[in-house]
Amino acid sequence: MSESVVALIVDIVKSRELKDRVGAQRSIREAFEWASHGRPTRRSLWPTVGDEFQAIFFTLGDALLTTSLVRLALPEGVDCRFGLGRGETVDVDEWAPGTIQDGSAWWNAREAIEETHRREHGTAPYLRSWFVTNNEGESGTVALVNGFLLLRDASISSMRPRDRRLTAGTLLGYSQTELARQEGVTQSAVSQSLRRSGGAALLAAHQELRKGQLQ
């Protein structure tokens, strides 16, 4: 039986408007490498066609944390959408130069990123992520995760560069004193930034998801 995984499709927001698309793609690969350090992935990020990338995670919790860190780490002017799909993956042609895959995880990830586009251009312009699974027993998980993604993306979209750096550091386990030293500010300034920007709330949300052992 095939293993259930979380497939991720990534595309670049407003890629045709970027002056340096090659540089943007490089920054995305570097952000994923940094964000996934120390956390196993089923398959690390790889480029596909145009401005798309793909990756495979063992758990939904890992996919959510990694995509949060990636958005926080990207440089100003570069942003991504994420379609997360739970299901199975299968290799279509083992003799191809690069592994070609199919399966329900990819169908669901494609549906998720299309839904992200639809909502982004509708009533949720801040939205960058969505989750889809065809497992009928996971309806509660789908609602919980997409509710989290709506709030997460709204929060990150409104953050300033320093807010993002501090939030990323907090998610990675750095103390406020360590972050203050890195930024050349006081610990009190870090605390105020995290409260004002929503970074502290995002940390608490990820901690609650981790307690639930989101698979």
Side-chain angles (χ1 to χ4, degrees), residues 65-138:
L65 179 57
T66 300
T67 52
S68 288
L69 287 167
V70 166
R71 279 206 73 204
L72 291 166
L74 287 173
E76 286 188 85
V78 180
D79 203 357
C80 288
R81 299 179 192 87
F82 306 108
L84 297 93
R86 169 105 74 195
E88 299 174 349
T89 62
V90 294
D91 292 342
V92 175
D93 185 355
E94 60 180 298
W95 302 107
T99 303
I100 299 174
Q101 291 197 328
D102 195 7
S104 59
W106 293 116
W107 311 334
N108 291 333
R110 179 62 62 188
E111 180 181 340
I113 205 164
E114 289 174 355
E115 181 67 9
T116 303
H117 275 276
R118 188 184 71 79
R119 288 174 178 261
E120 178 189 346
H121 293 95
T123 59
Y126 52 83
L127 185 67
R128 296 293 181 269
S129 324
W130 203 250
F131 171 60
V132 171
T133 177
N134 54 4
N135 186 341
E136 295 180 359
E138 284 196 296

